[in-house]
Amino acid sequence: MRASPRRSLAALALAGAMLALSACTGLPTTGDVQPGLALGASPEDPDFLPLASGPVDGAGPAEIVEGFVEAAITPADNWDTARRFMTPEMAAQWRPTTGVSIDVSAASRSFASTVEDDAEVDDGDTADVRVTFDQLASVDGTGAYSEAFGASTSSFVVVRTDGQWRISEAPDGVVLDESRFSRVYDDYALQFYDQTWERLVPDVRWFPRRATIATTIAQALIGGAPSPWLDPAVQNAFPAGVQLARDAVPIDADQVADVALNGAASGLDQVTLARMRTQLQETFLAAGVQVSQVRFSIDGRTLDAGVVKLVEDPADGGSLVLKDGMFGNLVGGEITPLPGVSDEILALTQPITAVDVALDGSHAAVQLGDGHVYIAGNGNVDELDQRSSLIRPSMDPFDYTWSVPVNAPSALQATSVDVAQTPVADAWPGASEVSAIRVSADGARIAAVIVVGGERWVVVSAIIRDENGVPTSLGPTEEITQLQGTASGLVWLGPDRLAVLGDTDDRIVLTQIVGGTGTVESAPAGALTIAGSRSASGVRILSAEGAVFARSGSAWSQATSGVQLLATRAGH
């Protein structure tokens, strides 16, 4: 495992990457709609990027290297400011986009030089400078983010030319402190298809904020590949060999992105072209790029490409609660029953500990006081899993109910609505405990809280299905973030974010990008369970006293009381 024992949950938050939970004064009446950016508007104007200074005359070797490292905060013109600290030869070959090392702070870096800054030296003399920093995370050349803790060292060679010290040897990539990382880089969710070609699955990457971000995203998607952990569950519509024909994606006054492709795209069938166009358009929209549509061309000739229809999940109908002898959507203080589900749940004689409602609301996975898992709907209640020590179940969009005993992670199974049980192979090898699972709304990923080697982690894995959509196994385990305490709940907040109700000294809510940074805040007093939605503002907390809390600005606001159970929806 990569984590340091000293690392606390609170330290996971990258200060510049605070995820703003939108304000609400109560429970939404029609889901989690919130005001957003205009179509394609960038999440932050590149003009507001932090600016670094160039080299100062007479600066010594350590000062030159320190200025160079600091200049990573200004990526404009391909890090032109940072290149000024280099010799012309080094500036021409340095590759800043190969990766990012994220450290605690600029103040904690140390610079050790073999030559004193005020030493009398002649042109041609050299100095070695070693930079040591406390690393927290990294971003690789594809934009993939991962936690990476520990001391790290970089070595530089500095030479004196024309009376000034300049860097002649330097490692590729840049170093950024955590407080400024998310002011220089932003997360962009590349979209890949699931195995049915009917849903898109996000794969978060981090790229420098810049006006030409459309080009960067197109280059990452066209000719690129999903992250290795996600690859078994998704596919790219762009065939191998298809590439951008130029290193630019211009956007005209009508917000049309002109994407010039190489000759390998000629002769592609209409289905493939439509999938390609839809995939790229949806990636631009998810990234906040100002594009109304994508137009493909080869040698100036426009390709006729349509779009494909994607599965749209039903809109959220409000929070699902059991209250005052009723079960259903709580909207405007009134509970609307779910046909075919509410009556069955209310007829149960055992205490109900958890309910996860299917996407279409036609049935629900229910865990009762005996710990067993059942499926309720259409007048029936059938037992799905009677093993002991089961954790809360999770439904997927294909109507499978996932269940697993807390102390037997490898015994994960998925059960269909007709009670056909399927063992899911390769579930979290080496894990000794699993305390929470949630399948994403696209059905291609499962998030979990597991214990491996005494360390508790939030992880994700790809779900591998056969040709009939039956889940058969999990892909490699991808560690998202380490937890120092236990977790009382795990939910999806939108397609690429998770929320964890955690137990440290106090109850906390961790909001975590899958493949990125996280933020931590205190939970409402007496927090007991958590529910989510497709929006990052959709977290709900049920207290031990029966109060449901939602976000109201920067604080929690009580939305209702007297609730016996806060249910979840499949994929949330």
Side-chain angles (χ1 to χ4, degrees):
M1 290 295 169
R2 298 185 297 253
S4 167
R6 63 167 178 78
R7 184 79 166 150
S8 68
L9 245 180
L12 290 172
L14 294 184
M18 297 300 291
L19 304 176
L21 297 177
S22 68
C24 60
T25 57
L27 295 181
T29 59
T30 56
D32 293 292
V33 178
Q34 58 180 324
L37 297 166
L39 176 64
S42 298
E44 181 174 319
D45 192 326
D47 291 340
F48 293 104
L49 290 171
L51 297 177
S53 301
V56 176
D57 287 348
E63 292 175 320
I64 287 296
V65 172
E66 184 173 4
F68 165 78
V69 174
E70 175 68 11
I73 66 174
T74 305
D77 299 323
N78 197 19
W79 278 273
D80 177 69
T81 300
R83 294 179 194 274
R84 297 177 198 171
F85 291 85
M86 297 176 155
T87 63
E89 296 78 13
M90 186 65 224
Q93 68 184 56
W94 179 59
R95 298 181 301 161
T97 59
T98 58
V100 185
S101 296
I102 304 166
D103 66 346
V104 173
S105 72
S108 67
R109 300 168 187 159
S110 65
F111 298 81
S113 173
T114 58
V115 176
E116 296 294 334
D117 287 351
D118 58 355
E120 292 294 333
V121 292
D122 298 322
D123 284 359
D125 285 336
T126 63
D128 295 321
V129 178
R130 292 171 60 85
V131 182
T132 303
F133 51 92
D134 190 5
Q135 187 167 348
L136 302 177
S138 65
V139 174
D140 67 17
T142 70
Y145 177 104
S146 61
E147 292 186 349
F149 303 113
S152 185
T153 301
S154 296
S155 298
F156 297 79
V157 175
V158 189
V159 299
R160 183 119 176 186
T161 61
D162 297 329
Q164 303 293 332
W165 289 101
R166 292 295 182 265
I167 299 169
S168 62
E169 295 182 22
D172 289 328
V174 298
V175 179
L176 285 166
D177 62 276
E178 61 175 346
S179 66
R180 291 182 291 183
F181 169 69
S182 292
R183 295 176 61 193
V184 179
Y185 278 70
D186 203 358
D187 58 299
Y188 302 95
L190 304 183
Q191 304 293 313
F192 293 94
Y193 287 96
D194 71 349
Q195 293 300 313
T196 69
W197 296 103
E198 295 178 341
R199 293 175 171 87
L200 289 173
V201 182
D203 188 5
V204 171
R205 307 295 175 87
W206 293 81
F207 302 125
R209 297 175 184 265
R210 55 180 58 170
T212 58
I213 190 61
T215 301
T216 303
I217 291 172
Q219 290 171 333
L221 190 64
I222 302 173
S227 295
W229 73 267
L230 183 60
D231 186 68
V234 297
Q235 47 195 342
N236 195 344
F238 290 88
V242 173
Q243 301 283 345
L244 287 175
R246 60 188 177 204
D247 292 332
V249 176
I251 301 172
D252 65 20
D254 295 323
Q255 299 181 351
V256 176
D258 184 11
V259 180
L261 301 176
N262 63 1
S266 62
L268 293 177
D269 60 86
Q270 287 299 304
V271 172
T272 299
L273 286 171
R275 287 172 176 168
M276 289 164 50
R277 183 184 175 201
T278 302
Q279 184 179 0
L280 186 54
Q281 284 185 174
E282 293 298 320
T283 296
F284 281 152
L285 292 176
V289 178
Q290 191 170 354
V291 168
S292 61
Q293 62 174 299
V294 165
R295 179 177 58 222
F296 292 137
S297 64
I298 298 178
D299 296 330
R301 175 178 58 86
T302 298
L303 293 177
D304 182 18
V307 293
V308 297
K309 183 175 178 57
L310 301 172
V311 171
E312 295 184 6
D313 294 332
D316 292 343
S319 289
L320 289 164
V321 299
L322 176 63
K323 176 184 177 180
D324 299 332
M326 300 183 68
F327 177 82
N329 290 309
L330 179 64
V331 179
E334 296 185 0
I335 296 177
T336 303
L338 302 178
V341 173
S342 293
D343 288 344
E344 286 79 355
I345 288 178
L346 294 174
L348 295 169
T349 57
Q350 287 193 55
I352 303 172
T353 60
V355 176
D356 194 32
V357 177
L359 279 177
D360 63 3
S362 64
H363 47 276
V366 182
Q367 188 172 33
L368 299 183
D370 60 5
H372 298 179
V373 173
Y374 302 79
I375 190 79
N378 300 318
N380 298 312
V381 177
D382 298 313
E383 188 174 66
L384 300 183
D385 196 339
Q386 58 182 343
R387 294 176 294 176
S388 61
S389 303
L390 294 172
I391 64 173
R392 292 171 179 266
S394 175
M395 295 200 71
D396 72 15
F398 303 102
D399 289 337
Y400 284 88
T401 298
W402 295 65
S403 56
V404 62
V406 63
N407 294 319
S410 62
L412 179 69
Q413 74 178 30
T415 307
S416 65
V417 291
D418 56 4
V419 199
Q421 297 175 339
T422 302
V424 181
D426 303 321
W428 314 297
S432 60
E433 177 184 322
V434 53
S435 56
I437 57 171
R438 292 300 292 171
V439 179
S440 60
D442 48 58
R445 300 161 294 160
I446 184 171
V449 177
I450 63 173
V451 175
V452 179
E455 298 177 338
R456 194 176 306 274
W457 286 83
V458 178
V459 299
V460 291
S461 301
I463 297 174
I464 302 171
R465 301 176 186 265
D466 65 16
E467 63 276 6
N468 297 316
V470 179
T472 59
S473 62
L474 299 187
T477 302
E478 177 74 2
E479 297 167 348
I480 300 301
T481 191
Q482 188 183 7
L483 304 178
Q484 292 303 313
T486 59
S488 300
L490 171 71
V491 294
W492 286 92
L493 299 180
D496 57 16
R497 280 161 171 77
L498 295 166
V500 178
L501 179 60
D503 302 308
T504 52
D505 294 335
D506 298 305
R507 287 285 180 122
I508 57 91
V509 176
L510 165 67
T511 303
Q512 182 73 37
I513 300 174
V514 177
T517 60
T519 61
V520 175
E521 61 184 328
S522 296
L528 188 65
T529 57
I530 187 172
S533 75
R534 284 185 293 276
S535 167
S537 68
V539 65
R540 305 287 186 267
I541 300 291
L542 174 65
S543 75
E545 291 74 29
V548 173
F549 291 86
R551 294 298 302 173
S552 179
S554 60
W556 294 99
S557 174
Q558 181 174 322
T560 190
S561 60
V563 173
Q564 297 169 260
L565 181 135
L566 178 63
T568 53
R569 285 185 176 83
H572 299 166

